[in-house]
C-alpha cells in the first residue's frame, strides 16, 4: 500500500478525484476508478453514501441517493475498497459522515478501514475540536489523519488542525458546500497561502475545483494537491444511460487536469 | 467554543469546519447579550406587549372529568402566531439584531416556527428565508400562505422525504454559504451547540410561568407535567422549572404514528439508537447501516427522526419518561377538545392531550396534571377533515372539501 508521503515527496501536485462508492453501481464505480487511475490520479478520495450529507451540494447528494438505491452500505463500501486495492496501488482517503462511523462502532470502523486498504478517514461533520474522539483510533489502526480548514478558520485553528494532521490538510476553497463552480475564488488562494504560512503539512484544495485552470492556479500558489469532486460526479449523472460514456468522460477530464498540473 | 455543549454524552457540535466560526460567534453573543439585563428587559417587553405573555393556566373541566383528576392546560396556543415558537423566535431575532445580522433563515415542519420567524422578521425589519419540505408545504398550506403574506420567502426542499429533516439539511447548507450576514434562527432544542441551550433558555419562560401560576392557584406544584416531543422545545421549556423537584413526574409524548411496531412513527427516544444528526449526538431513528430513516406522523411538527440532546440525557437518567400517542389517538383528542372545550389544539400538542386521555382512571383523584398546550390547531383543520370527513357531515361534496 503506497502512502501519502510517497505521493507528496515525488514533487508533483497530487491529483485527487472524488467519487461516491457504489455510484451508480459497484461495477461501474470500479471501472470509473480504474479509468481515473489510468489517466493519472495520484490519490483517491472516496465517499461512503449517507442519507443526510449536510456538507454536500446537489450533485453529490444525488450521487449518494443513487448509490444507496443501488444497495451500498458502509460494509460493502469497505469491501469495494479492498477490491480497488487488490487491483491498483494507490492511496485512498475515505470521506464519511459521523453517524455512519458511530453506528458501525468507531474502533471497528477504523480497524476495518485500515484492513481494506484505506490510508485516512475524514469525517465531514467532525471538527478539530473533537478530533480526540477519533485520533487515537486512527493512529492505532495505522491510519493517517486528514482534517479540514475553511476560509473562515482562524490561523489559530489552522495550527490546531496542522498539529493533528499526519496525511494532508483538506482546504475548503469557499464558504459553502461541495459543487462545481465557474471560477476559483480569491478565498481559495487565501486559504492555501494562509495554511502554507503556518505549517509544512501538505495542503490539498477541494470544493469547486471544476476546471484544469483552477487546479493550475491552486498549484501556482503552493497547493500540494487538488481534489476534484462534483465536476466528476456530475459526469456520472449526465451519462447514466451510457455507462461506457461515464468511464470515457471521466478519463478525459482526468487527463485534462493531469496535463494542467 | 467556550463550552462543549454536552448533556452527559449527548449534544456537542458535530458540524463541518466552515460552520464552527459561526457557532463560536453565536455562543459568544448568547453569553454576552442573551444573559444581559438590558437584552432581557427588551425581550420581556416584546413578550408581554407583542406576543401576549403571560399565557393563562386553564383548568380543563372536560379533560378533568374524563381522566379523573385535575388537568391544567398551559395555554401557549393563545400566543401571537398561535404557538410557543414565538418565545424563541423573538429571543433569537433580538440576538441577531444585537449581533448586527440583518438576514434570518429558519427551517420549519408544521410551519409554526417558520411563521414565528416570518412574524418577528416583519416586526424587526429583517429579511427572512424559510426552508420547508415539499411534503409539509402540501399539508400545512395555511401557514405557507401566512409566511408569504408576512414577506418571507418560502424555499421548498425536496430531499428524501420532503419534511423537517430535509429542511434542516438545506438550511444548514445555505447557512454554510452565507454565514457572514445570515443568522440561522433554529426552531427546536436540537442541532449543534449552542442551539439546544439557547432554545431552552428562551422557552424556559413557559415553565417559570406555569410553576408560579400553579402555586398561586393550588398552593403546590403539579404532580405530572406532560408535553409533546418532536425536537423537544416546548417540552424542555416547561420541564425546566420542575427539573429540580424530583417529585414532579415529567412526561414527553412522541409521535406514535401508525403504531410503534409499524415502522411508521417519529418515536425517536423509544425506538431510535444513539447517533449524530444535525450537529448533535442524540437518539436518532436509523436503519441497520446507520442511514437516517424517514419518520412518520400526522403532525408535521413532530415528524422528525432526531430529538434534542437534553431529552436523550433525561431519558437515560430517568428524570423524564418518554411515551407516545398514535395518529388515531391524536385525532380523537383533537375532536374531544374542540367539542368539549371549544379549543382546537395543534396536532403536535394533541399528542400530549391524547396520552393524558389514555391514562384515564390511572391518576389519583387529587393529582394535578399539567399539559403544555403548545399551539393551536387552525393549521390542522384541513388535514383533520380529510381524515375524518364524517365529523362535519359525510355528504360534503368534493368541491366543498377543497374549499376548506
Amino acid at each position: 500500500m503506497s502512502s501519502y508521503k510517497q505521493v507528496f515527496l515525488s514533487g508533483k501536485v497530487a491529483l485527487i478525484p472524488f467519487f461516491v462508492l457504489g455510484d451508480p453501481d459497484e461495477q461501474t464505480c470500479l471501472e470509473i476508478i480504474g479509468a481515473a487511475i489510468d489517466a493519472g490520479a495520484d490519490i483517491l478520495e472516496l465517499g461512503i453514501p449517507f442519507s443526510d450529507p449536510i456538507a454536500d451540494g446537489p450533485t453529490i447528494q444525488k450521487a449518494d441517493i443513487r448509490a444507496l438505491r443501488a444497495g451500498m452500505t458502509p460494509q460493502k463500501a469497505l469491501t469495494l475498497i479492498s477490491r480497488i486495492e487488490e487491483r491498483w496501488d494507490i492511496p485512498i482517503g475515505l470521506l464519511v459522515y459521523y453517524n455512519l462511523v458511530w453506528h458501525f462502532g468507531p474502533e471497528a470502523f477504523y480497524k476495518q478501514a485500515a484492513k481494506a486498504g484505506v490510508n485516512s478517514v475524514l469525517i465531514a461533520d467532525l471538527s478539530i475540536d473533537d478530533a480526540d474522539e477519533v485520533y487515537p483510533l486512527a493512529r492505532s489502526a495505522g491510519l493517517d489523519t486528514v482534517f479540514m480548514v475553511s476560509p473562515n478558520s482562524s490561523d489559530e485553528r489552522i495550527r490546531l488542525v496542522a498539529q493533528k494532521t499526519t496525511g494532508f490538510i483538506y482546504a475548503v476553497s469557499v464558504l459553502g458546500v461541495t459543487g462545481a463552480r465557474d471560477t476559483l475564488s480569491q478565498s481559495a488562494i487565501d486559504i492555501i497561502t494562509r495554511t502554507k504560512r503556518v505549517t509544512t503539512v501538505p495542503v490539498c484544495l477541494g470544493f469547486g475545483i471544476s476546471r484544469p485552470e483552477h487546479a493550475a492556479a491552486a498549484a501556482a500558489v503552493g497547493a500540494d494537491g487538488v481534489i476534484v469532486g462534483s465536476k466528476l460526479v456530475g459526469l456520472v449523472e449526465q451519462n447514466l444511460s451510457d455507462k461506457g460514456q461515464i468511464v470515457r468522460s471521466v478519463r478525459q477530464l482526468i487527463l485534462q487536469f493531469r496535463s494542467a498540473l | 467554543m467556550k463550552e462543549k455543549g454536552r448533556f452527559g454524552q449527548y449534544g456537542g457540535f458535530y458540524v463541518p469546519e466552515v460552520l464552527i466560526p459561526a457557532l463560536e460567534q453565536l455562543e459568544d453573543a448568547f453569553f454576552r447579550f442573551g444573559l444581559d439585563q438590558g437584552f432581557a428587559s427588551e425581550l420581556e417587553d416584546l413578550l408581554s406587549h407583542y406576543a401576549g405573555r403571560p399565557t393563562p393556566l386553564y383548568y380543563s373541566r372536560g379533560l378533568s372529568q374524563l381522566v379523573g383528576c385535575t388537568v391544567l392546560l398551559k395555554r401557549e396556543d393563545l400566543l401571537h402566531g398561535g404557538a410557543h415558537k414565538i418565545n424563541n423566535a423573538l429571543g433569537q431575532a433580538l440576538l441577531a439584531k444585537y449581533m448586527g445580522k440583518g438576514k434570518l433563515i429558519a427551517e420549519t415542519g408544521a410551519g409554526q416556527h417558520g411563521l414565528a420567524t416570518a412574524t418577528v422578521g416583519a416586526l424587526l425589519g429583517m429579511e427572512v428565508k424559510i426552508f420547508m419540505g415539499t411534503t409539509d408545504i402540501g399539508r400545512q398550506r395555511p401557514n405557507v400562505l401566512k409566511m408569504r403574506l408576512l414577506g418571507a420567502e418560502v424555499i421548498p426542499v425536496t430531499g428524501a422525504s420532503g419534511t423537517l429533516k430535509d429542511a434542516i439539511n438545506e438550511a444548514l447548507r445555505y447557512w454554510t454559504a452565507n454565514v457572514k450576514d445570515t443568522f440561522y434562527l433554529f426552531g427546536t432544542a436540537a442541532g449543534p451547540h449552542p442551539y439546544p441551550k439557547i432554545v431552552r433558555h428562551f422557552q424556559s419562560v413557559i415553565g417559570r410561568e406555569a410553576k408560579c401560576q400553579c402555586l398561586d392557584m393550588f398552593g403546590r406544584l403539579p404532580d405530572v407535567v406532560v408535553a409533546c416531543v418532536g425536537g423537544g422545545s416546548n417540552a424542555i421549556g416547561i420541564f425546566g422549572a420542575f427539573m429540580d423537584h424530583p417529585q414532579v413526574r415529567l412526561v414527553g409524548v412522541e409521535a406514535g404514528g401508525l403504531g410503534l411496531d409499524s415502522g411508521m412513527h417519529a418515536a425517536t427516544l423509544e425506538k431510535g439508537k444513539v447517533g449524530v444528526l444535525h450537529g448533535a449526538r442524540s437518539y436518532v431513528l436509523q436503519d441497520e447501516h446507520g442511514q437516517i430513516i424517514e419518520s412518520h406522523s400526522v403532525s408535521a411538527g413532530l415528524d422528525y427522526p432526531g430529538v434534542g440532546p437534553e431529552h436523550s440525557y433525561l431519558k437515560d437518567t430517568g428524570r423524564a419518561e418518554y411515551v407516545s400517542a398514535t395518529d388515531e389517538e391524536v385525532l380523537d383528542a383533537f375532536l374531544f377538545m374542540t367539542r368539549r372545550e371549544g379549543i382546537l389544539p395543534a396536532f403536535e400538542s394533541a399528542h400530549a392531550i391524547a396520552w393524558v386521555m389514555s391514562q384515564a382512571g390511572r391518576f389519583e383523584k387529587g393529582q394535578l396534571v399539567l399539559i403544555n398546550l403548545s399551539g393551536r390547531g387552525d393549521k390542522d383543520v384541513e388535514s383533520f377533515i380529510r381524515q375524518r370527513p364524517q365529523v362535519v357531515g359525510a355528504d360534503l361534496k368534493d368541491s366543498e372539501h377543497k374549499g376548506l
Side-chain angles (χ1 to χ4, degrees), chain B residues 201-262:
Chain B
H201 176 73
F202 290 132
Q203 292 295 2
S204 63
V205 63
I206 305 173
R208 277 199 308 278
E209 270 179 23
K211 184 179 175 182
C212 290
Q213 289 165 322
C214 195
L215 287 171
D216 281 350
M217 285 165 72
F218 299 93
R220 66 186 186 88
L221 295 174
D223 298 289
V224 189
V225 176
V226 188
C228 65
V229 176
S233 71
N234 90 82
I236 218 68
I238 197 163
F239 285 177
F242 304 102
M243 209 73 86
D244 294 335
H245 301 279
Q247 74 275 25
V248 179
R249 189 179 161 200
L250 305 176
V251 182
V253 186
E254 295 190 297
L258 304 182
L260 292 194
D261 297 325
S262 67

Side-chain angles (χ1 to χ4, degrees), chain B residues 1 49 75 119 271 403:
Chain B
M1 295 284 215
H49 298 109
R75 297 294 307 275
T119 301
K271 289 288 184 179

Side-chain angles (χ1 to χ4, degrees), chain A:
Chain A
M1 186 176 80
S2 59
S3 68
Y4 289 144
K5 202 160 267 167
Q6 285 169 297
V7 174
F8 294 120
L9 283 178
S10 75
K12 64 177 171 179
V13 177
L15 177 53
I16 312 174
F18 169 87
F19 301 102
V20 173
L21 286 156
D23 172 38
D25 57 69
E26 283 193 46
Q27 191 51 43
T28 312
C29 183
L30 265 181
E31 287 169 29
I32 293 169
I33 284 167
I37 295 170
D38 282 351
D42 300 299
I43 295 171
L44 296 175
E45 183 77 12
L46 301 174
I48 300 184
F50 182 51
S51 54
D52 295 77
I54 54 169
D56 287 300
T59 305
I60 293 173
Q61 287 173 45
K62 281 186 247 172
D64 280 0
I65 292 171
R66 280 195 300 273
L68 288 172
R69 288 198 178 138
M72 190 44 52
T73 67
Q75 191 70 63
K76 285 184 186 168
L78 294 178
T79 308
L80 189 55
I81 286 173
S82 53
R83 288 175 66 192
I84 295 166
E85 280 291 312
E86 276 165 23
R87 291 209 214 170
W88 298 286
D89 184 26
I90 186 167
I92 294 178
L94 195 56
L95 191 134
V96 289
Y97 284 87
Y98 202 14
N99 196 60
L100 296 179
V101 176
W102 188 262
H103 190 271
F104 201 100
E107 199 177 341
F109 186 84
Y110 277 83
K111 273 188 185 154
Q112 293 198 30
K115 207 173 141 206
V118 161
N119 293 64
S120 65
V121 177
L122 167 56
I123 300 176
D125 50 353
L126 183 86
S127 69
I128 200 65
D129 308 86
D130 290 309
D132 289 343
E133 291 189 19
V134 296
Y135 185 84
L137 301 178
R139 298 309 283 159
S140 70
L143 294 181
D144 274 323
T145 55
V146 172
F147 290 99
M148 285 179 166
V149 297
S150 74
N152 54 356
S153 303
S154 62
D155 284 359
E156 189 192 337
R157 287 184 70 79
I158 297 174
R159 268 187 213 103
L160 277 175
V161 166
Q163 279 165 21
K164 294 278 181 186
T165 303
T166 64
F168 60 86
I169 294 174
Y170 190 132
V172 172
S173 71
V174 286
L175 293 180
V177 294
T178 58
R181 288 169 175 88
D182 287 338
T183 53
L184 191 68
S185 61
Q186 184 57 40
S187 65
I189 305 298
D190 293 344
I191 187 65
I192 299 169
T193 317
R194 281 208 296 135
T195 309
K196 294 299 283 184
R197 203 180 292 144
V198 302
T199 179
T200 55
V201 176
V203 180
C204 300
L205 186 74
F207 286 39
I209 311 300
S210 313
R211 296 179 178 183
E213 59 264 34
H214 299 165
V221 292
D224 299 282
V226 289
I227 302 146
V228 184
S230 295
K231 187 70 189 177
L232 284 166
V233 174
L235 294 174
V236 180
E237 185 187 350
Q238 288 151 29
N239 298 289
L240 279 175
S241 55
D242 182 356
K243 285 170 184 164
Q245 183 55 29
I246 298 176
V247 176
R248 283 190 297 277
S249 56
V250 165
R251 182 192 307 274
Q252 197 178 1
L253 188 64
I254 299 280
L255 283 171
Q256 287 169 11
F257 271 94
R258 185 75 274 167
S259 64
L261 288 171

Side-chain angles (χ1 to χ4, degrees), chain B residues 16 18 30 60 78 131 150 167 193 203 210 212 228 293 331 346:
Chain B
V18 60
F30 177 59
S60 167
L78 294 177
F131 294 83
L150 286 159
H193 172 72
Q203 292 295 2
C212 290
C228 65
I293 55 181
L331 296 178

